[in-house]
Amino acid sequence: MRGFDSRSHLPSNYIMQKIRLLAIETSCDETGIAIIEFEKKIVKKQEVISKEFKVIKNLLISQIDIHKDYGGVYPNLAKREHIKNIPILLEQALGKDDNFKNINYIAVTYGPGLSPALWTGIEAAKTISKEYNIPVLPINHMEGHIFSSLLTAKNKKGDIYEIITPSLPSIALLISGGHTELIYMNNFFKYKKVGHTLDDAVGEAFDKVARSIGLSYPGGPEISKKAESGRREIVALREELRLPRPMLHSKDLNFSFSGLKTSVINKIEKYKLTEEEKNLFCMEFENAVTDVLIKKTREALYLYNCNSLIVGGGVSANNHIRKSLTEMCKNDDIDIYLSDKKNSTDNALMIAAIAFAKVSNSHPALTGEKVEDIKAEPNLKL
Ligand code: KG4
Ligand code: ZN
């Protein structure tokens, strides 16, 4: 990462400016607003951005309780809630007089995600940009998940962060409700997808399996809790409840979780499980997912001769997956970057982080008519 060390000796002919960036995330069922602050120095007419930024606000309203009844996210309901939540969070972030005058950049997620949900954030960004003449950085949500894992807290309070440069080349394993991807990265902002799911995303499989067991949405944390209880039990899993490890031996870096999900649903219907067995069965599901993730990630790291692994997305909050990937990396002498568990699921800080990285690396922000042209891209790729 380019940037200056804020503790370094300053040359005499410099101008320093505090820059505030407002980030908006509305791609799915979390309304996120964050404000970060950093410094811009102009030294001999050259702009240099501080290495660190400070989190002024990081706010989130989760819609989980609203979508629970549907067992998943209902796009138009998400839109309605974002429309309601954005002004509430902006007021909390900026104060009653909507002090946008101190904001120098807006970063907004424009994809991938649910189209109606994405548009709410984009429309808000456009309105503020037009009224206050603020440039906009359109942000890829998945790139946000990558940069969330590269955030390093610089103080105990955890409100000053730096983005670390991983030892490149790197593989990013992105595991969320909508995505399961292996991304090769040999430079910042340069990505090549080398593996993906052929059907369900891993988070989606967690959510659907949870539903079939009678657990609430989002299913990932619920399954994980039961699996952890399963790991403490002394009885073994019935042989007929063993699950497949799909695509484990396929000769590519792709995944498939739909068959595994169906196998779980069929077994739940066929065998009457006791509570203890449900815990063991959740553990077996978590193990099956982890085995496949480990095998494919390891192959990708090896095939592309990588020095590090970045793990991002909501499913990376899972304790067993984190632990297993960390152990694998330790054995293979690979550096691993995981986000704080609280920053694994969707939030606006991750959008601020990638926007900060872009500003630091002189990526231009959009102004005027170009802002008007920003569109939601539900299937946006990295
Ligand atoms: O990244 P994210 O917040 O939203 C998307 O971009 O999709 O990911 C949400 C997904 C959900 O499927 C949720 O069940 C899963 O992340 N998840 C977990 C855990 N926490 C969240 N999956 C497994 N274990 C967890 N602890
Ligand atoms: Zn996400």
Side-chain angles (χ1 to χ4, degrees):
M1 282 285 292
R2 276 173 43 180
F4 67 82
D5 185 336
S6 51
R7 291 167 298 258
S8 66
H9 185 68
L10 302 175
S12 54
N13 56 341
Y14 82 99
I15 304 169
M16 193 167 71
Q17 197 189 346
K18 294 246 187 242
I19 304 288
R20 282 196 171 199
L21 182 148
L22 167 74
I24 306 174
E25 157 62 38
T26 63
S27 68
C28 192
D29 58 347
E30 316 279 0
T31 320
I33 296 281
I35 296 177
I36 62 165
E37 185 180 271
F38 49 94
E39 287 163 8
K40 178 158 78 180
K41 283 187 200 173
I42 305 193
V43 185
K44 294 181 186 159
K45 295 189 184 160
Q46 282 230 319
E47 279 186 14
V48 193
I49 303 293
S50 54
K51 275 190 171 170
E52 297 169 352
F53 67 80
K54 183 172 185 186
V55 182
I56 307 294
K57 296 279 176 189
N58 182 19
L59 308 172
L60 194 78
I61 299 180
S62 173
Q63 304 174 9
I64 282 173
D65 286 340
I66 291 154
H67 296 286
K68 255 185 179 142
D69 295 345
Y70 299 89
V73 183
Y74 192 68
N76 281 325
L77 204 54
K79 172 182 166 178
R80 191 192 74 188
E81 290 302 304
H82 286 311
I83 290 173
K84 191 176 84 195
N85 294 337
I86 291 171
I88 296 172
L89 291 186
L90 283 174
E91 190 183 313
Q92 276 179 31
L94 294 155
K96 271 212 174 342
D97 51 351
D98 288 355
N99 210 349
F100 290 106
K101 288 186 200 81
N102 295 329
I103 301 292
N104 304 81
Y105 291 99
I106 302 168
V108 65
T109 306
Y110 74 111
L114 303 169
S115 182
L118 288 164
W119 272 114
T120 60
I122 294 170
E123 292 295 359
K126 284 185 180 178
T127 308
I128 304 164
S129 167
K130 198 166 180 187
E131 171 96 15
Y132 296 89
N133 202 16
I134 305 170
V136 177
L137 291 143
I139 299 294
N140 182 318
H141 179 84
M142 300 315 287
E143 207 174 4
H145 276 305
I146 293 180
F147 276 75
S148 182
S149 304
L150 298 177
L151 281 178
T152 314
K154 300 300 283 183
N155 61 349
K156 268 207 178 126
K157 199 175 161 201
D159 64 346
I160 305 225
Y161 285 97
E162 187 181 312
I163 292 171
I164 36 173
T165 305
S167 31
L168 296 166
S170 189
I171 287 287
L173 169 68
L174 300 180
I175 39 180
S176 69
H179 290 79
T180 303
E181 290 176 346
L182 284 164
I183 307 286
Y184 173 71
M185 195 172 130
N186 68 353
N187 223 321
F188 265 160
F189 317 117
K190 292 250 182 299
Y191 311 102
K192 182 182 165 200
K193 186 156 73 174
V194 295
H196 66 279
T197 178
L198 303 177
D199 39 56
D200 290 359
V202 62
E204 189 183 352
F206 265 101
D207 294 337
K208 288 178 179 165
V209 160
R211 201 174 173 189
S212 77
I213 302 182
L215 303 171
S216 62
Y217 175 84
E222 300 293 318
I223 296 262
S224 168
K225 253 186 259 160
K226 287 191 87 59
E228 276 174 27
S229 305
R231 287 178 203 288
R232 289 192 293 271
E233 278 175 25
I234 37 170
V235 286
L237 182 75
R238 273 198 262 170
E239 204 47 46
E240 55 267 39
L241 292 178
R242 291 256 170 251
L243 290 167
R245 269 61 176 162
M247 309 271 288
L248 203 61
H249 304 295
S250 72
K251 297 209 178 327
D252 55 30
L253 298 173
N254 294 332
F255 304 90
S256 163
F257 292 106
S258 149
L260 176 63
K261 168 199 72 187
T262 309
S263 182
V264 171
I265 295 170
N266 290 343
K267 284 177 195 288
I268 291 283
E269 278 173 11
K270 188 163 173 197
Y271 304 103
K272 205 143 181 58
L273 304 192
T274 62
E275 267 323 295
E276 285 75 24
E277 278 183 321
K278 278 189 188 167
N279 293 343
L280 288 168
F281 197 41
C282 285
M283 178 186 79
E284 171 68 357
F285 172 72
E286 202 175 69
N287 286 348
V289 167
T290 308
D291 287 351
V292 180
L293 292 177
I294 292 275
K295 172 94 184 320
K296 298 285 172 161
T297 306
R298 198 166 189 209
E299 269 171 19
L301 287 162
Y302 180 77
L303 214 64
Y304 288 88
N305 210 3
C306 289
N307 295 315
S308 63
L309 172 68
I310 301 166
V311 192
V315 181
S316 72
N318 182 282
N319 284 336
H320 183 66
I321 294 174
R322 291 172 83 88
K323 202 167 140 238
S324 308
L325 287 167
T326 305
E327 266 167 29
M328 175 199 76
C329 286
K330 199 171 164 214
N331 288 336
D332 292 357
D333 205 16
I334 297 279
D335 293 338
I336 184 164
Y337 304 93
L338 287 153
S339 63
D340 266 5
K341 272 208 257 177
K342 64 175 180 343
N343 293 333
S344 296
T345 45
D346 293 350
N347 62 83
L349 180 60
M350 69 186 209
I351 303 306
I354 166 70
F356 168 74
K358 289 196 169 202
V359 172
S360 301
N361 285 273
S362 313
H363 286 223
L366 305 180
T367 53
E369 277 177 14
K370 291 220 166 94
V371 173
E372 282 308 309
D373 289 344
I374 301 173
K375 288 184 181 59
E377 292 192 30
N379 300 314
L380 183 67
K381 307 272 181 285
L382 265 176

